[in-house]
Amino acid sequence: MYCALDIQKEKEYSDTSAVFIVENDKIVRSNLRMQVNNAKNFSVAGEASYYDDYSDVLYRINPNIIIFSSFSGTNEQYRHIKNVHTQMPLIKKVVLSKCVEETEFCTSVLAGVKGYCAQESELNELLRAIEIVSKGDSYCDKSMGNFIYRLIFHMNQMQQLPIDKPIEEQINLTDRELQVILAAANSDDYEDIAKKLNISKHTVKVHLTSVYRKLGVKNKLQAILKLQSKIYEFKF
């Protein structure tokens, strides 16, 4: 169940110091609340679990930052991020990941996250991330530095194709192959992809293998990044 401070106190948190926490575990949530409240420039104005509908309290509190704690990249957790990003885009979103990982990092950024760091980060690092994001800048876990370097290098090496043609013609993907790789961008579950597209798991694997071969890549992440780079300017 979500909780918010009483209405009389909410007003004092309607500024850049207000933090809202989303976390299922009460002990983890309590520890995170204590860490944030002990910081000089921030205070927790409200909190909830991933099971709650806390949109109304977010509108009342209007926090500057929302922390998605114990993040593990589930569809339900991404849904929470996207809902906040759609309904209240000015709220800065920070993910505390259980296991920092490249695909999760990219998907989080594309969902609207401004800060991404490990759940077990040192307290000063966590507060630094919140501070940076609160000022409108972006923050990522230091372990992502090499990945970002490789990503920039990779994109610099790729020849950009004109965008006035259908993407299928640009990269020689069939309609079904394009549908499969786009579905795979939102799910790692072959059975889930097969169900959405009304095909078999084996067919999903066959199409993905063909996509990787045509794009000259080895895995899903590389395929998605290369596909995106043909159409969009990729920005963090």
Side-chain angles (χ1 to χ4, degrees):
M1 178 180 295
Y2 73 77
C3 89
L5 304 180
D6 56 79
I7 300 300
Q8 290 82 359
K9 292 183 179 179
E10 285 180 5
K11 185 177 180 181
E12 68 181 273
Y13 288 103
S14 297
D15 54 29
T16 58
S17 69
V19 176
F20 192 90
I21 297 172
V22 181
E23 164 64 61
N24 288 342
D25 190 291
K26 292 181 178 179
I27 296 177
V28 175
R29 193 162 65 217
S30 176
N31 289 337
L32 186 55
R33 183 198 317 128
M34 181 176 63
Q35 291 175 339
V36 173
N37 282 334
N38 285 338
K40 181 179 180 181
N41 300 321
F42 300 98
S43 294
V44 175
E47 55 191 58
S49 77
Y50 287 101
Y51 304 115
D52 299 323
D53 179 2
Y54 45 85
S55 55
D56 288 344
V57 72
L58 281 183
Y59 278 110
R60 290 204 310 272
I61 295 174
N62 191 28
N64 184 48
I65 294 176
I66 182 168
I67 298 176
F68 293 96
S69 176
S70 298
F71 195 82
S72 55
T74 66
N75 289 335
E76 178 67 13
Q77 290 173 331
Y78 283 123
R79 183 182 66 80
H80 279 253
I81 292 176
K82 291 176 181 178
N83 284 345
V84 173
H85 189 64
T86 299
Q87 297 171 14
M88 302 185 72
L90 295 182
I91 296 180
K92 285 86 171 179
K93 293 157 283 291
V94 175
V95 158
L96 302 185
S97 176
K98 283 186 174 181
C99 183
V100 172
E101 193 267 332
E102 293 175 0
T103 303
E104 182 184 275
F105 169 60
C106 288
T107 307
S108 297
V109 170
L110 293 173
V113 167
K114 296 291 289 184
Y116 181 86
C117 58
Q119 182 82 26
E120 301 302 322
S121 297
E122 295 290 335
L123 176 58
N124 61 343
E125 194 66 16
L126 170 60
L127 296 179
R128 179 170 175 267
I130 296 174
E131 178 80 29
I132 290 173
V133 171
S134 72
K135 295 178 180 178
D137 294 325
S138 301
Y139 176 92
C140 69
D141 190 86
K142 58 185 179 182
S143 64
M144 289 292 102
N146 184 55
F147 168 66
I148 293 174
Y149 174 85
R150 288 189 285 110
L151 176 62
I152 294 173
F153 180 82
H154 169 72
M155 295 191 66
N156 185 57
Q157 296 300 308
M158 289 193 321
Q159 180 181 0
Q160 296 295 319
L161 296 178
I163 62 174
D164 57 348
K165 295 181 180 180
I167 187 64
E168 304 96 300
E169 294 181 19
Q170 294 186 42
I171 53 180
N172 196 33
L173 293 184
T174 66
D175 289 342
R176 179 60 84 183
E177 288 170 345
L178 183 60
Q179 290 174 352
V180 170
I181 189 60
L182 291 178
N186 296 312
S187 176
D188 290 320
D189 190 332
Y190 283 0
E191 187 171 348
D192 182 48
I193 297 171
K195 185 177 180 180
K196 288 180 180 179
L197 299 179
N198 196 28
I199 57 179
S200 69
K201 289 172 60 176
H202 174 72
T203 303
V204 171
K205 295 178 181 179
V206 170
H207 283 312
L208 286 178
T209 299
S210 178
V211 169
Y212 299 161
R213 176 180 56 78
K214 288 182 178 181
L215 295 181
V217 299
K218 297 181 179 179
N219 55 50
K220 184 181 78 172
L221 175 60
Q222 292 177 356
I224 293 170
L225 291 176
K226 192 164 187 177
L227 183 62
Q228 289 168 339
S229 72
K230 296 298 183 184
I231 312 173
Y232 305 109
E233 179 183 5
F234 194 92
K235 294 184 178 179
F236 285 98

